[in-house]
Amino acid sequence: WGIAGRNYIALPKARTVVRLPEGFVTKYIEMGGADKPDLGQWWGRHPASDVTFKLAVDNYRAGMNVGVLLEKLGVGNIQPLKLADGTVAYTGTKGGMSGVRERAMAIPSIASEKVVVIVMKFPDESTQAREEAAIMQSLAQSKLISYEKAEALQPLKLDIQTVATGTTQTSLANRLPVGALHDELFRALNGTAPGQPLKIGSRVKMIVDVNQL
């Protein structure tokens, strides 16, 4: 249903690549069962700022007003936003309980008859003021991709690599194609302890991203 890299979520069925700032941990939540393969959501959280998001895909119908779709979600102050490839998305904000603020964006992909909706949730107004501009700058780099490029997308892969001279857990962990918790993921993959030296010539498990996005 999708591929989450270091700073993106690629959605082959929607032919859309959503750009994210680095630092988000992501997870796919399956919904609807195998008989409804289009249903599901991506959830994400930024451990440092506690900003979270939910991303979902809906069907795009001819003549659909994407701004109205956001209005149905309770979003106001809706404005068009031109993405890196010229696609016009729509974005707006809405308030929540206890000072929680949300920023929503909808990206129509007419060719694939899908619309991608991502809702960012800020824990408080001060976090929104501090983080929102950078998040929106990244989201504005989202883009649509061709059918051929969508078909060529590959999932992240497990790879076995040899430890070279000067290699440390941290240097290898920083190469993992995830947004956050690199060290924790490396230790989980390899069963190592924090700060444990790696033996030159030993083999370690790594995750690699072959997509050029």
Side-chain angles (χ1 to χ4, degrees):
W1 195 89
I3 302 158
R6 182 182 292 268
N7 64 347
Y8 72 85
I9 295 178
L11 306 165
K13 290 183 180 180
R15 290 164 52 180
T16 304
V17 176
V18 178
R19 288 288 179 189
L20 299 167
E22 288 193 24
F24 277 94
V25 179
T26 56
K27 179 180 180 180
Y28 176 67
I29 307 296
E30 185 175 356
M31 304 172 67
D35 59 327
K36 297 181 179 179
D38 285 344
L39 294 181
Q41 294 183 346
W42 281 95
W43 291 7
R45 178 177 176 270
H46 194 286
S49 65
D50 205 30
V51 176
T52 61
F53 74 80
K54 290 185 180 181
L55 182 154
V57 176
D58 198 358
N59 291 322
Y60 183 95
R61 295 174 294 279
M64 174 185 284
N65 185 319
V66 177
V68 172
L69 175 64
L70 289 180
E71 288 180 352
K72 290 180 179 179
L73 297 176
V75 177
N77 302 315
I78 298 172
Q79 300 289 334
L81 175 68
K82 184 174 287 189
L83 305 183
D85 64 350
T87 299
V88 177
Y90 290 86
T91 182
T93 60
K94 73 175 186 177
M97 298 178 62
S98 304
V100 173
R101 303 287 300 179
E102 297 181 6
R103 162 72 66 173
M105 186 172 80
I107 306 172
S109 177
I110 298 174
S112 66
E113 299 182 334
K114 305 291 182 185
V115 56
V116 177
V117 178
I118 182 168
V119 180
M120 289 280 179
K121 181 177 290 187
F122 302 88
D124 50 56
E125 292 184 9
S126 62
T127 301
Q128 183 179 23
R130 186 176 64 251
E131 304 289 343
E132 186 175 38
I135 289 173
M136 291 307 300
Q137 186 176 17
S138 293
L139 287 175
Q141 297 304 309
S142 301
K143 61 182 179 180
L144 305 185
I145 56 177
S146 67
Y147 174 82
E148 291 76 17
K149 192 152 192 174
E151 286 291 296
L153 289 172
Q154 297 291 317
L156 304 186
K157 297 180 179 180
L158 186 66
D159 189 35
I160 305 298
Q161 300 182 7
T162 302
V163 175
T165 302
T167 300
T168 65
Q169 284 197 60
T170 299
S171 65
L172 288 174
N174 287 339
R175 288 162 46 191
L176 293 171
V178 293
L181 304 179
H182 303 79
D183 292 328
E184 292 84 349
L185 177 56
F186 181 86
R187 293 198 298 269
L189 285 170
N190 293 284
T192 54
Q196 178 181 332
L198 300 177
K199 183 179 178 180
I200 297 173
S202 63
R203 309 275 275 175
V204 294
K205 297 174 184 176
M206 293 287 289
I207 296 173
V208 296
D209 185 354
V210 300
N211 298 304
Q212 300 295 320
L213 295 173

